[in-house]
Amino acid sequence: MDQALVQWILDLAAFDASQLWAEDGYSTCASWLVSKCDLGWSTAKERLRVANELERRPVVREAFAAGALPFSKARVITRLHGVDNERDEKFVAIAGEYSVHVVDARVKNWNYFNDQDRRPGDIDDHYGITRSRGFGGGMGRITIEAPDDQLDRLVGVLDAYLDFLFNNPDEAAKLAMATREPFTEEAPREPSDGEAPQEPSDGEAPQEPSDGEAPREPSARPSLAARRLDALFDLLEEVALVEPTKIDPERATIGVTVAYETLRGTDGWGGTAQGSLLTGEAVRRLACDSGVCRMVVKGASELLDIGRKTRSWPWPMRRAIRARHGHRCAAHGCHRRITQIHHIEHWERDGVTAVHNGVPLCAFHHHLVHEGGWQLTWDVATGVTRLIGPLGQILESEAQLLAAA
């Protein structure tokens, strides 16, 4: 198994460079691996990264091919930044003597000290914002990687805003979330008939609950990290309102697809255009202060239709079509979210501008259909999108559960 994996990894870089995966209609080699080799998206990208790094690192590649370096350690060593053959030889020797955990720690230490001497232009491969999902409880994570001075600027601005809120309690009340206590002190609650006065909390023991009353959890003030995050959201929304010409409201809108029964209060869930799942209660909370765009998600009714008066797609149709395909490109194996709406029956050939005649395609697959000789069909009953290439290649998506109108 190890030998087969070694050969598979070594052949992968050549396959990626040949771009033979594009002949099957895939926009990236990683997409091809996900579809043809049944790999997860992160696993496909990681193996592709290791394969391409091994092509540039002959010392590591030879040790890997000879079986002296297992894949678990090869993938760690290939994360080294700015190394040469001499440095690779030292780390291959370390990998032969220590466990993968020790090797990983040595690699991180080397990268940390090496990156201190890198010019700002050399850190672009790590500079940016990444979004992660799947942490449970409806929580996600956004990671910001930037030079320390820029991160200090960001934190400095947020802390300055928090100082402003501290000195202006009326503004602070706007920042407090519904599930948290406001920053201002609350007035003491008057006891009801027969109830003992409430004891002060500072330095005192909490009030004992009365018979049959469950003890109440103390309301803790949000942490500094939580307040900084609230301040960041507050500042971003303020900029969007002050400078509306700089931000497209449609692009900044959070689109949520939800069943009508869930919106009315029954159990259920909703999905955002970015791919996150929301509980029914979270959906109803968002709906308290938002506009509602009607999209039927049961049956196959297609009510949005403007005939042939125009070939451009209005925003209600774009929302409906993208929601029907999970806000991704309709081509099988493509995970791109920036899409264009394609007329299945071309507008020039008397195709109508209607929801049933549109599918979302990324720029790559849109080009394949128009200039690459590929044919596209969409089954209204099953929601299956099929692309057929000029050589008989077939990209067939899974059946879509939602039919939007």
Side-chain angles (χ1 to χ4, degrees), residues 11 43 66 159 253 267:
D11 290 342
T43 302
D159 288 347
T253 299
D267 294 336

Side-chain angles (χ1 to χ4, degrees), residues 1-258:
M1 290 176 62
D2 291 340
Q3 292 176 350
L5 179 60
V6 166
Q7 192 60 48
W8 190 87
I9 293 292
L10 295 177
D11 290 342
L12 181 57
F15 176 70
D16 183 26
S18 70
Q19 296 192 354
L20 290 174
W21 39 266
E23 295 186 3
D24 287 337
Y26 293 91
S27 57
T28 64
C29 184
S31 298
W32 188 94
L33 292 174
V34 170
S35 177
K36 299 296 185 180
C37 300
D38 201 22
L39 298 179
W41 186 248
S42 59
T43 302
K45 291 194 294 185
E46 177 67 4
R47 292 195 177 183
L48 189 60
R49 181 195 66 80
V50 173
N52 288 320
E53 279 295 315
L54 290 176
E55 284 293 301
R56 295 186 286 267
R57 312 272 284 276
V59 174
V60 182
R61 184 178 67 249
E62 291 173 5
F64 181 63
L69 190 68
F71 177 74
S72 59
K73 296 180 179 179
R75 64 191 294 264
V76 172
I77 294 179
T78 52
R79 295 196 186 109
L80 283 168
H81 301 160
V83 295
D84 51 22
N85 290 340
E86 181 179 357
R87 180 66 58 179
D88 277 343
E89 290 175 355
K90 292 182 179 180
F91 272 90
V92 169
I94 292 173
E97 186 175 355
Y98 296 98
S99 67
V100 65
H101 302 289
V102 175
V103 177
D104 183 54
R106 296 285 183 91
V107 167
K108 290 179 179 178
N109 289 338
W110 162 259
N111 287 339
Y112 177 79
F113 289 108
N114 180 67
D115 289 349
Q116 294 184 101
D117 299 327
R118 298 174 71 186
R119 296 180 292 108
D122 295 332
I123 64 174
D124 290 341
D125 51 341
H126 297 283
Y127 184 88
I129 296 178
T130 55
R131 169 70 186 272
S132 304
R133 297 181 174 85
F135 291 94
M139 300 294 289
R141 180 179 298 164
I142 290 180
T143 304
I144 302 177
E145 294 187 76
D148 286 334
D149 59 320
Q150 294 194 25
L151 294 178
D152 288 343
R153 286 175 57 197
L154 173 62
V155 175
V157 170
L158 297 178
D159 288 347
Y161 185 62
L162 290 177
D163 289 340
F164 166 77
L165 296 177
F166 179 80
N167 296 317
N168 297 269
D170 293 339
E171 293 292 333
K174 300 177 183 179
L175 185 64
M177 299 175 63
T179 57
R180 299 174 179 168
E181 294 295 327
F183 299 146
T184 55
E185 295 292 338
E186 292 185 356
R189 181 173 59 87
E190 293 294 334
S192 59
D193 294 338
E195 181 183 3
Q198 185 178 1
E199 296 292 333
S201 58
D202 295 338
E204 299 289 341
Q207 181 184 0
E208 293 295 332
S210 59
D211 294 339
E213 180 184 357
R216 290 180 296 177
E217 295 291 335
S219 56
R221 190 166 184 253
S223 65
L224 176 60
R227 284 181 282 141
R228 281 174 174 167
L229 182 60
D230 286 340
L232 177 60
F233 290 149
D234 195 41
L235 289 173
L236 289 175
E237 290 188 355
E238 184 174 345
V239 171
L241 294 175
V242 174
E243 299 288 346
T245 59
K246 295 182 179 180
I247 297 179
D248 182 4
E250 189 68 35
R251 185 70 178 88
T253 299
I254 300 177
V256 180
T257 303
V258 58

